[in-house]
C-alpha cells in the first residue's frame, strides 16, 4: 500500500492547535460557526495531504480568514437573545430575497420570528420592528432620535442631496424650506394643472365606456401621473425621451439595492466603480432639464410659473435658502418617488372599486351629496377645498394603500443610542447609526392586526 505523502502522527495535533487558536476569536454563542470552521480546516488538511498539495495551504488559510472576517458580527443578535434569520457570509440575511419576492419573505419572517427580530446587511446588524407600540415610540414619541434615513453611498450631486439622503442639520434645513412648498396655499396654486391633465384621462375613460372596450389602467394612470408631475414640477409635457429616463428611476433591479445595503461606501463611490442605486443617466437627464429651466426663469423673472420648481426657486432666496444642486435634487426626488406610487395607488383603487360595485356606488353617492351641498355641478371644475370633505373617499384610498402599498418597508436610523422596551418589559439597545426597518407590507397583511372578515 502506497504511503500517503505528508501525513504523519503530528498532523492531528496541528489541527487541534488551529482549532484552539480559532476559538479565541469566536464567542461562545458562535458555536455553530466554530464547528463549521474547524470542520473546514480538518477537511482542508485531509484533502491537501491526500493529494500531496500542501502548497495550497496559504490560499486555503486565506479563505478561512476571509470567512471569519465576513461573519465576525453574525453573533450580535444571538448574544442579545433577539431572534432572526441565520446570516450568511457577504449576503447577511438578504440572499433569500434574490429568489423570493421581498414582500413574501417579509410576511414569513414576521410570522416566524415575531414582532421584533434582527437582520444583517452583510456584516452590519439591523433591527426589524413590527410592534405597533414600539413603532409609535420610534415614529412619534421619540422621532427626534430616529429622523435620519439610511446613509447614501454616493457623492453624485443629485442623489446625495435628496431630502431622503440628507442627515442631521442639512436635513432639518432643507426639510424646513421644502415643506413650505406643500402648504395649502401653494398646493392650491398648482391645482389647475391637475384639472387640465384630467381632461385626457376622462376622455379615455369615456371612450372605453362608450365602446365597451378593455382598458389598461396601469398605462392610463401612468400617463396621467407622468403628465401631472411633469407639468407641476418641470413645466413640460413628457415626450418619449422623458418617459424613458423617468422609468429608469424606479425600475432598477434588486441587485442595485443589495449592493447599496451590503458593500462599503469607499468601494461603491471609488473612481473605478462610481455606483449609484438610481441610474446615473436618468438623474443626469433631469438635472440637465432642471438646470436649463432655472436659467430660463432667472433670465425672464417677469414670467412667473405656478409650479413646484418655481416654489423651490423662491425658497432659495429666503435667508439660508436652497442651493441649485439642492433644488435639482428635490425636483428629481419629487418625480422619482411620486410617479410609481401615485399611478399604482390610482390603478389599484379603481380596480378594487370595479370588483366591489356596491362600494363604488356608495362612494359615488357620497361625492354627489358633497357637490350638491356645495352647489357645484358634477360637470364643473371641482374646487380644491371640496376634495377633503369626503371621509369615505379618504377611507377608500387608505384601504387601497393598505392592500397594495408601494412601500414594502420603511427605515429610520438612530442618531444616538436608544433603548426600546417591548410589552413584556424586555430591553433592546438600538445603537447609534443602526438602521431600524418597519415591515409595512407585512403589518398591513397581518391577520393579527387586520383580521380577515
Amino acid at each position: 500500500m502506497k504511503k500517503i505523502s505528508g501525513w504523519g502522527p503530528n498532523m492531528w495535533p496541528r489541527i487541534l492547535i488551529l482549532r484552539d487558536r480559532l476559538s479565541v476569536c469566536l464567542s461562545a454563542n458562535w458555536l455553530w460557526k466554530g464547528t463549521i470552521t474547524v470542520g473546514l480546516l480538518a477537511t482542508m488538511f485531509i484533502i491537501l495531504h491526500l493529494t500531496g498539495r500542501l502548497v495550497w495551504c496559504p490560499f486555503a488559510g486565506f479563505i478561512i480568514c476571509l470567512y471569519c472576517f465576513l461573519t465576525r458580527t453574525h453573533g450580535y443578535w444571538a448574544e442579545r437573545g433577539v431572534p432572526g434569520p441565520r446570516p450568511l457570509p457577504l449576503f447577511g440575511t438578504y440572499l433569500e430575497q434574490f429568489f423570493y419576492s421581498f414582500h413574501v419573505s417579509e410576511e414569513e419572517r414576521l410570522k416566524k420570528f415575531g414582532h421584533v427580530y434582527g437582520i444583517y446587511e452583510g456584516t452590519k446588524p439591523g433591527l426589524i420592528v413590527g410592534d405597533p407600540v414600539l413603532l409609535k415610540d420610534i415614529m412619534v414619541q421619540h422621532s427626534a432620535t430616529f429622523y435620519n434615513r439610511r446613509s447614501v453611498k454616493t457623492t453624485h450631486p443629485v442623489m446625495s442631496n435628496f431630502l431622503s439622503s440628507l442627515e442631521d442639520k442639512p436635513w432639518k434645513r432643507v426639510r424646513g424650506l421644502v415643506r413650505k412648498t406643500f402648504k395649502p396655499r401653494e398646493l392650491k396654486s398648482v391645482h389647475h394643472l391637475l384639472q387640465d391633465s384630467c381632461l385626457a384621462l376622462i376622455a379615455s375613460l369615456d371612450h372605453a365606456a362608450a365602446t365597451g372596450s378593455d382598458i389598461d389602467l396601469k398605462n392610463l394612470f401612468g400617463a396621467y401621473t407622468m403628465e401631472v408631475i411633469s407639468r407641476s414640477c418641470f413645466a413640460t409635457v413628457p415626450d418619449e425621451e422623458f418617459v424613458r429616463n423617468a422609468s429608469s428611476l424606479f425600475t432598477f433591479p434588486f441587485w442595485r439595492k443589495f449592493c447599496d445595503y451590503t458593500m462599503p461606501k469607499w468601494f461603491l463611490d471609488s473612481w473605478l466603480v462610481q455606483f449609484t442605486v438610481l441610474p446615473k443617466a436618468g438623474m443626469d437627464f433631469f438635472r440637465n432639464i432642471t438646470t436649463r429651466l432655472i436659467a430660463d426663469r432667472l433670465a425672464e423673472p417677469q414670467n412667473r410659473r405656478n409650479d413646484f420648481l418655481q416654489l423651490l426657486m423662491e425658497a432659495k432666496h429666503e435667508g439660508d435658502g436652497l442651493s441649485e444642486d439642492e433644488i435639482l435634487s428635490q425636483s428629481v426626488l419629487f418625480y422619482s418617488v411620486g410617479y410609481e406610487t401615485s399611478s399604482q395607488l390610482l390603478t389599484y383603487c379603481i380596480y378594487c372599486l370595479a370588483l366591489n360595485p356596491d362600494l363604488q356606488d356608495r362612494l359615488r353617492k357620497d361625492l354627489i351629496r358633497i357637490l350638491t351641498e356645495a352647489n357645484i355641478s358634477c360637470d364643473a371644475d371641482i374646487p380644491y377645498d371640496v376634495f377633503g370633505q369626503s371621509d369615505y373617499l379618504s377611507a377608500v384610498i387608505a384601504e387601497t394603500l393598505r392592500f397594495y402599498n408601494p412601500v414594502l418597508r420603511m427605515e429610520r436610523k438612530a442618531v444616538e443610542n436608544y433603548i426600546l422596551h417591548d410589552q413584556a418589559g424586555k430591553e433592546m439597545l438600538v445603537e447609534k447609526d443602526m438602521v431600524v426597518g418597519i415591515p409595512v407590507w407585512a403589518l398591513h397583511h397581518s391577520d393579527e392586526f387586520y383580521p380577515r372578515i
Side-chain angles (χ1 to χ4, degrees):
M1 182 176 179
K2 186 177 179 180
K3 185 177 180 180
I4 300 175
S5 176
W7 184 265
N10 294 327
M11 182 51 58
W12 185 248
R14 293 176 190 174
I15 295 177
L16 295 179
I17 291 172
L18 283 173
R19 182 202 63 184
D20 294 338
R21 290 179 178 177
L22 185 64
S23 65
V24 176
C25 303
L26 300 173
S27 67
N29 287 325
W30 294 5
L31 224 42
W32 62 271
K33 190 197 311 183
T35 303
I36 293 176
T37 307
V38 172
L40 288 172
L41 283 170
T43 304
M44 175 189 75
F45 275 103
I46 292 173
I47 293 176
L48 292 177
H49 281 81
L50 286 175
T51 59
R53 297 181 180 273
L54 288 177
V55 57
W56 290 101
C57 278
F59 174 75
F62 169 76
I63 296 298
I64 298 298
C65 291
L66 180 62
Y67 170 83
C68 293
F69 176 77
L70 294 176
T71 59
R72 66 190 186 279
T73 61
H74 286 181
Y76 182 90
W77 290 121
E79 293 171 0
R80 290 157 177 79
V82 178
R86 175 168 292 183
L88 296 172
L90 182 63
F91 295 97
T93 54
Y94 279 94
L95 181 61
E96 69 175 277
Q97 291 169 339
F98 278 97
F99 307 101
Y100 299 98
S101 298
F102 186 85
H103 68 280
V104 173
S105 65
E106 288 279 273
E107 288 187 71
E108 291 178 350
R109 287 179 175 181
L110 189 67
K111 294 177 182 178
K112 182 177 181 180
F113 301 112
H115 295 157
V116 180
Y117 60 89
I119 60 171
Y120 296 88
E121 298 168 356
T123 59
K124 190 173 183 180
L127 188 67
I128 300 298
V129 179
D131 186 325
V133 176
L134 296 181
L135 291 180
K136 184 178 180 180
D137 195 23
I138 293 171
M139 302 296 289
V140 181
Q141 296 177 354
H142 292 89
S143 59
T145 305
F146 294 94
Y147 58 80
N148 280 343
R149 272 71 167 173
R150 176 186 298 275
S151 299
V152 295
K153 298 177 180 178
T154 180
T155 56
H156 190 282
V158 174
M159 190 171 179
S160 61
N161 282 299
F162 281 173
L163 180 60
S164 57
S165 302
L166 298 174
E167 297 182 352
D168 302 322
K169 290 183 178 180
W171 174 81
K172 292 181 180 179
R173 181 182 64 83
V174 174
R175 180 179 181 271
L177 293 169
V178 171
R179 69 184 298 181
K180 296 178 181 179
T181 65
F182 290 95
K183 291 182 178 180
R185 185 184 66 182
E186 280 69 23
L187 292 176
K188 190 174 182 179
S189 67
V190 299
H191 175 62
H192 68 284
L193 298 175
L194 277 71
Q195 290 183 322
D196 294 341
S197 299
C198 276
L199 298 177
L201 174 67
I202 294 174
S204 298
L205 293 173
D206 286 342
H207 175 74
T211 59
S213 58
D214 295 335
I215 189 168
D216 190 324
L217 291 177
K218 187 65 173 66
N219 288 339
L220 177 67
F221 288 113
Y224 166 72
T225 306
M226 185 169 291
E227 181 176 345
V228 168
I229 297 179
S230 302
R231 296 185 62 183
S232 61
C233 184
F234 297 98
T236 184
V237 177
D239 55 15
E240 184 177 347
E241 184 182 13
F242 191 100
V243 173
R244 183 176 65 255
N245 282 279
S247 300
S248 69
L249 295 179
F250 44 79
T251 56
F252 55 90
F254 178 76
W255 68 264
R256 281 182 170 271
K257 185 169 290 189
F258 169 77
C259 291
D260 183 60
Y261 282 9
T262 59
M263 296 186 179
K265 180 178 179 179
W266 62 264
F267 173 75
L268 295 178
D269 202 37
S270 63
W271 65 270
L272 185 63
V273 180
Q274 288 292 299
F275 172 85
T276 58
V277 177
L278 300 180
K280 292 177 62 178
M283 290 191 291
D284 290 339
F285 172 79
F286 285 103
R287 186 178 185 223
N288 294 334
I289 287 181
T290 309
T291 301
R292 175 176 54 81
L293 290 173
I294 291 176
D296 292 343
R297 296 187 184 192
L298 291 176
E300 300 178 355
Q302 68 278 8
N303 295 330
R304 186 187 184 280
R305 304 289 186 90
N306 288 324
D307 56 24
F308 182 67
L309 179 59
Q310 186 68 41
L311 295 173
L312 289 177
M313 291 177 61
E314 293 173 356
K316 176 180 179 181
H317 301 289
E318 298 178 5
D320 184 18
L322 299 174
S323 66
E324 184 167 306
D325 276 341
E326 289 171 341
I327 293 176
L328 296 172
S329 298
Q330 308 328 311
S331 298
V332 175
L333 177 65
F334 184 75
Y335 191 90
S336 63
V337 303
Y339 171 76
E340 183 69 13
T341 52
S342 300
S343 61
Q344 180 174 310
L345 168 61
L346 292 172
T347 300
Y348 280 117
C349 185
I350 299 303
Y351 172 73
C352 291
L353 288 174
L355 295 180
N356 299 274
D358 54 330
L359 302 182
Q360 179 185 159
D361 187 57
R362 179 180 173 181
L363 175 61
R364 182 173 179 273
K365 290 179 179 178
D366 186 62
L367 294 174
I368 292 176
R369 175 188 61 80
I370 292 174
L371 294 176
T372 301
E373 292 176 354
N375 295 321
I376 300 173
S377 172
C378 294
D379 297 328
D381 291 338
I382 302 176
Y384 173 80
D385 299 332
V386 175
F387 280 96
Q389 297 182 15
S390 175
D391 293 335
Y392 193 71
L393 176 60
S394 299
V396 169
I397 293 176
E399 188 67 357
T400 303
L401 280 175
R402 183 180 77 82
F403 270 109
Y404 304 103
N405 200 311
V407 179
L408 304 181
R409 180 199 289 178
M410 294 174 59
E411 293 179 336
R412 291 294 184 271
K413 190 171 69 172
V415 299
E416 61 185 6
N417 289 349
Y418 182 80
I419 297 178
L420 286 175
H421 300 269
D422 63 13
Q423 298 182 30
K426 182 180 178 180
E427 294 184 351
M428 286 168 287
L429 173 64
V430 180
E431 296 184 359
K432 181 182 178 181
D433 293 333
M434 178 179 287
V435 174
V436 177
I438 303 171
V440 177
W441 179 280
L443 288 174
H444 285 180
H445 292 77
S446 171
D447 293 337
E448 178 182 357
F449 303 115
Y450 297 94
R452 299 179 184 273
I453 301 177

